[in-house]
Amino acid sequence: MRAFVFPGQGSQKVGMGVELAGASPAARAVFEEVDDALGQKLFAILRDGPEDQLTLTENAQPAIMANAIAVLRVLEIEGGITLADKADFVAGHSLGEYTALCAAGAFSLADTARLLKLRGQAMQAAVPVGIGAMCALLGADIVKAQALADAAAEDDVCAVANDNDPTQVVLSGHTGAIERAIALVKDFGIKRGISLPVSAPFHCSLMQPAADAMAAALEKTPPASLRVPLFANVTAAMVTDPQDVQRLLVEQVTGRVRWRESVLAMQAAGVEQFVELGGKVLGPMIGRTVADVAVTSVIGMADIEAFAKEL
């Protein structure tokens, strides 16, 4: 069995998707459709930068999605592959969950772009700059990370935002609590704590205003039926009902990204091959979480051609 997985924020870089757009009309059409949906020249930022514009949450989220869907479209149109025929499940990391749902037919490309633009704006606006922060814990499992978060919180918010793999967990919350957590890592047997260059504390209760904004947006643009089941971030379980998907997308804004558990659940469901479209971020996490699975990263034309032959 095979799962197609889609990367989240942090995987963006200037130049992403440019080679593919130059080589494939199908990829070019994806970037043009996203530009039209957003009423902005997002592909120009992807192509030329500046990097600080691409890193803005409201630009990074639709850009990462567009790049991954461009890869998928080339696979489908030029490789003659249908996602529903080749994938048993889809999953995505944080914003990648929207990409996965677009791939599975729950949202159109234009609607996905607009939802992610709004999501990025809402997450940015939820907490004033400087109030919140995030850090990555290296050499930390979920038990150590939770204990550290509890100790560092005091009267602030300090929560596990991403449980990425058995060696990497991300904390999110008030800036003071995150600074305390970084200072305390050695006391909890954690190798290192690294402050992340993010503009807001994602996936914690401070994001409630953004969750409210997404609840309103998803009422107007609800998901349709999925052609392929999704493993959801906040439950690490399979979901197919559009109403459940809608509810979980709202919960995801403030909830933990249970990526490690999702990978384990997909393996338990029979997945033997994970295919990451549009990035090389999730593959190493998957490799550190489960053994005896194949992990394939598909980004450029050469990757697409090789993968199409394999299928």
Side-chain angles (χ1 to χ4, degrees):
M1 297 180 83
R2 183 181 295 115
F4 279 56
V5 298
F6 299 89
Q9 199 160 338
S11 60
Q12 74 279 353
K13 61 180 179 179
V14 174
M16 180 175 74
V18 173
E19 177 258 342
L20 192 61
S24 166
R28 220 159 31 245
V30 168
F31 291 114
E32 288 168 0
E33 188 176 342
V34 169
D35 277 3
D36 289 344
L38 299 180
Q40 78 173 110
K41 297 187 183 300
L42 185 61
F43 185 69
I45 298 173
L46 264 175
R47 186 185 60 223
D48 304 321
E51 188 173 347
D52 62 348
Q53 285 296 305
L54 181 58
T55 304
L56 282 176
T57 302
E58 65 176 83
N59 290 331
Q61 296 200 16
I64 292 163
M65 180 278 297
N67 182 58
I69 294 298
V71 173
L72 177 62
R73 285 277 177 88
V74 176
L75 260 177
E76 291 184 327
I77 293 171
E78 298 180 19
I81 289 159
T82 304
L83 177 80
D85 291 339
K86 300 298 181 182
D88 298 284
F89 307 106
V90 292
H93 191 284
S94 190
L95 83 89
E97 191 155 83
Y98 283 81
T99 317
L101 288 164
C102 180
F107 295 119
S108 70
L109 175 59
D111 282 343
T112 309
R114 285 188 286 262
L115 285 167
L116 284 174
K117 182 78 172 178
L118 173 65
R119 183 177 183 268
Q121 290 170 335
M123 292 172 91
Q124 182 68 62
V127 179
V129 173
I131 299 297
M134 299 180 75
C135 69
L137 304 177
L138 306 182
D141 60 21
I142 189 65
V143 174
K144 290 179 181 177
Q146 187 63 62
L148 173 60
D150 291 343
E154 296 184 5
D155 292 325
D156 289 335
V157 171
C158 190
V160 173
N162 305 340
D163 178 9
N164 286 333
D165 67 45
T167 69
Q168 186 193 103
V169 179
V170 174
L171 301 186
S172 182
H174 284 108
T175 301
I178 297 302
E179 289 172 349
R180 286 192 292 274
I182 292 171
L184 289 169
V185 289
K186 300 293 187 188
D187 295 349
F188 288 81
I190 296 168
K191 188 188 298 182
R192 196 172 169 204
I194 303 171
S195 178
L196 295 179
V198 295
S199 53
F202 306 138
H203 298 294
C204 75
S205 59
L206 297 177
M207 286 286 108
Q208 189 57 50
D212 295 340
M214 292 313 298
L218 289 162
E219 281 295 325
K220 295 175 184 173
T221 310
S225 297
L226 284 66
R227 291 192 287 265
V228 180
L230 172 81
F231 271 80
N233 282 182
V234 295
T235 60
M238 188 173 69
V239 57
T240 55
D241 181 80
Q243 288 186 316
D244 290 338
V245 169
Q246 184 174 338
R247 173 178 53 80
L248 292 171
L249 285 175
V250 175
E251 291 180 14
Q252 186 229 59
V253 180
T254 57
R256 180 183 302 178
V257 176
R258 295 169 62 183
W259 187 251
R260 176 186 60 85
E261 292 172 89
S262 295
V263 170
L264 289 168
M266 284 185 273
Q267 185 193 39
V271 172
E272 296 171 326
Q273 183 183 28
F274 291 86
V275 182
E276 181 177 1
L277 295 188
K280 291 184 176 178
V281 178
L282 300 179
M285 294 180 192
I286 293 166
R288 290 190 290 266
T289 302
V290 292
D292 304 321
V293 297
V295 181
T296 305
S297 175
V298 184
I299 298 173
M301 283 302 293
D303 299 329
I304 290 168
E305 289 164 2
F307 184 57
K309 284 179 185 173
E310 175 189 325
L311 293 177

